[in-house]
């Protein structure tokens, strides 16, 4: 198979990295090559051609410096532990999406930061990742930037060497405009294979824990905004722990509250 990523960055073809892309596409070589090319395209878009050539640690520290406001908003973070299938779980607060286009670009960098975190987990690399998206009071002014939405879909499904197994879109009854007007447009942006992983829930937040439990996610893993019992300070604690890990360049286990560090090893592997 001709590899379009060869035109970009020779380092992306290091054997271990190639295997990651192959695993994320279940060893379909054509799709893996396309994902590798998409990965480099996204990296260049977010960080520029020169910085994209630098190591991941440098890029993550640049996100820490440039995107602190977006990190502190708790728009994206990794939930504690895995689901019962060993998949990583990422929480997305779509209702907190900034309107400003520069801030939206920084939010894409935060997305990269979060996905890099999930990739450090052997279980998530093996079994994939699940997204839970809370729509809440999302306004149309937060979701009308076509370039941002296209890049978001690329990051979510077709870029990072990590398989997105499911995307749970939690739409409260008052957010039906999102389902009727925006969602069909977003479905058009993403590829058919990604559409099959999209699950829409038209329910009040209080009903979500019971629903998500059928997908292997426990109530105590979920934030209160969708009816869970997770400590409300967890998102900020997750951010601080991961930023501190970058500053200290340390390697350690997950801490006792289940905060997953970018530089840490898995303390717990769920068998899938």
């Amino acid at each position: 198979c001709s590899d379009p990523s060869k035109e970009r960055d020779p380092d992306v073809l290091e054997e271990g990295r190639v295997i990651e892309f192959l695993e994320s596409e279940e060893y379909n070589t054509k799709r893996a090559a396309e994902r590798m090319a998409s990965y480099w395209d996204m990296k260049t878009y977010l960080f520029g051609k020169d910085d994209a050539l630098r190591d991941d640690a440098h890029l993550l520290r640049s996100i820490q410096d440039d995107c602190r406001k977006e990190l502190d908003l708790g728009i994206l973070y990794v939930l504690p532990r895995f689901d019962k299938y060993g998949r990583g779980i990422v929480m997305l607060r779509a209702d907190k999406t900034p309107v400003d286009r520069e801030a939206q670009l920084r939010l894409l960098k935060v997305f990269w930061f979060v996905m890099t975190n999930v990739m450090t987990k052997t279980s998530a690399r093996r079994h994939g990742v699940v997204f839970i998206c809370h729509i809440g009071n999302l306004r149309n002014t937060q979701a009308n930037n076509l370039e941002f939405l296209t890049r978001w879909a690329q990051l979510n499904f077709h870029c990072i060497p990590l398989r997105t197994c499911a995307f749970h879109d939690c739409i409260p009854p008052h957010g039906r405009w999102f389902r009727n007007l925006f969602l069909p447009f977003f479905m058009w942006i993403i590829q058919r294979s990604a559409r099959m992983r999209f699950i829409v829930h038209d329910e009040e937040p209080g009903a979500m824990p019971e629903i998500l439990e059928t997908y292997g996610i426990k109530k105590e893993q979920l934030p209160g905004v969708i009816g869970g019992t997770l400590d409300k300070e967890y998102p900020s604690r997750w951010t601080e722990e991961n930023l501190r890990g970058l500053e200290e360049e340390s390697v350690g286990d997950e801490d006792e509250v289940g905060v997953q560090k970018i530089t840490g090893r898995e303390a717990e592997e769920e068998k899938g």
Side-chain angles (χ1 to χ4, degrees):
C1 169
S2 175
D3 190 341
S5 68
K6 286 182 178 178
E7 302 174 4
R8 308 296 182 96
D9 179 14
D11 292 339
V12 83
L13 297 180
E14 184 268 333
E15 182 178 359
R17 182 58 60 86
V18 170
I19 291 173
E20 289 177 355
F21 282 98
L22 285 169
E23 289 179 341
S24 69
E25 291 292 355
E26 299 179 319
Y27 287 88
N28 182 306
T29 54
K30 182 178 184 297
R31 291 203 306 261
E34 291 172 348
R35 185 179 284 263
M36 291 170 73
S38 177
Y39 172 89
W40 181 247
D41 174 71
M42 178 62 71
K43 204 172 184 182
T44 304
Y45 173 79
L46 292 178
F47 304 106
K49 187 173 182 179
D50 292 335
D51 276 351
L53 289 168
R54 305 188 69 172
D55 60 52
D56 287 344
H58 170 81
L59 296 181
L60 293 173
R61 284 192 292 270
S62 74
I63 294 172
Q64 174 186 6
D65 295 336
D66 300 339
C67 311
R68 184 59 195 249
K69 179 179 178 181
E70 286 71 29
L71 284 163
D72 288 341
L73 284 174
I75 301 174
L76 275 160
Y77 54 93
V78 181
L79 292 173
R81 301 180 298 280
F82 307 106
D83 69 7
K84 75 175 184 179
Y85 305 106
R87 302 178 298 200
I89 313 169
V90 175
M91 183 68 198
L92 166 60
R93 290 289 305 272
D95 58 323
K96 292 187 175 185
T97 302
V99 176
D100 177 73
R101 299 204 169 196
E102 289 298 319
Q104 289 181 347
L105 175 59
R106 292 193 295 272
L107 182 57
L108 290 174
K109 293 182 179 181
V110 171
F111 198 169
W112 185 281
F113 176 91
V114 170
M115 294 297 276
T116 301
N117 173 278
V118 181
M119 281 180 59
T120 66
K121 312 302 169 188
T122 303
S123 185
R125 290 197 304 273
R126 183 181 303 131
H127 302 293
V129 62
V130 172
F131 283 82
I132 301 173
C133 177
H134 174 64
I135 298 302
N137 294 316
L138 181 74
R139 303 183 305 278
N140 59 1
T141 54
Q142 296 171 283
N144 62 5
N145 181 349
L146 178 59
E147 182 178 14
F148 170 70
L149 295 173
T150 302
R151 290 293 183 174
W152 186 277
Q154 181 183 356
L155 260 172
N156 214 141
F157 296 103
H158 313 298
C159 171
I160 302 294
L162 192 67
R163 188 169 63 259
T164 297
C165 299
F167 193 103
H168 295 274
D169 221 352
C170 306
I171 307 175
H174 64 267
R176 295 289 168 80
W177 75 267
F178 178 86
R179 177 167 189 168
N180 296 334
L181 298 178
F182 173 81
L183 200 56
F185 172 69
F186 189 73
M187 290 294 189
W188 172 75
I189 292 176
I190 64 178
Q191 296 178 8
R192 182 175 180 274
S193 59
R195 292 182 205 127
M196 296 171 64
R197 305 172 212 165
F198 226 87
I199 307 167
V200 177
H201 306 283
D202 286 318
E203 303 289 347
E204 293 287 355
M208 288 312 304
E210 184 176 353
I211 293 171
L212 291 173
E213 189 170 6
T214 66
Y215 294 92
I217 302 170
K218 297 179 180 179
K219 185 175 183 177
E220 56 265 29
Q221 292 176 277
L222 300 172
V225 72
I226 53 172
T229 57
L230 186 65
D231 181 359
K232 66 179 180 180
E233 299 299 325
Y234 175 86
S236 60
R237 196 162 61 243
W238 181 88
T239 299
E240 289 300 325
E241 289 289 335
N242 281 285
L243 294 180
R244 189 180 309 125
L246 288 178
E247 293 168 357
E248 297 172 354
E249 296 183 352
S250 62
V251 177
D253 292 336
E254 294 180 2
D255 69 11
E256 61 184 5
V257 296
V259 174
Q260 301 175 347
K261 301 180 182 179
I262 284 178
T263 55
R265 298 180 309 177
E266 294 88 340
E268 178 183 352
E269 286 282 333
E270 292 198 18
K271 296 181 180 179

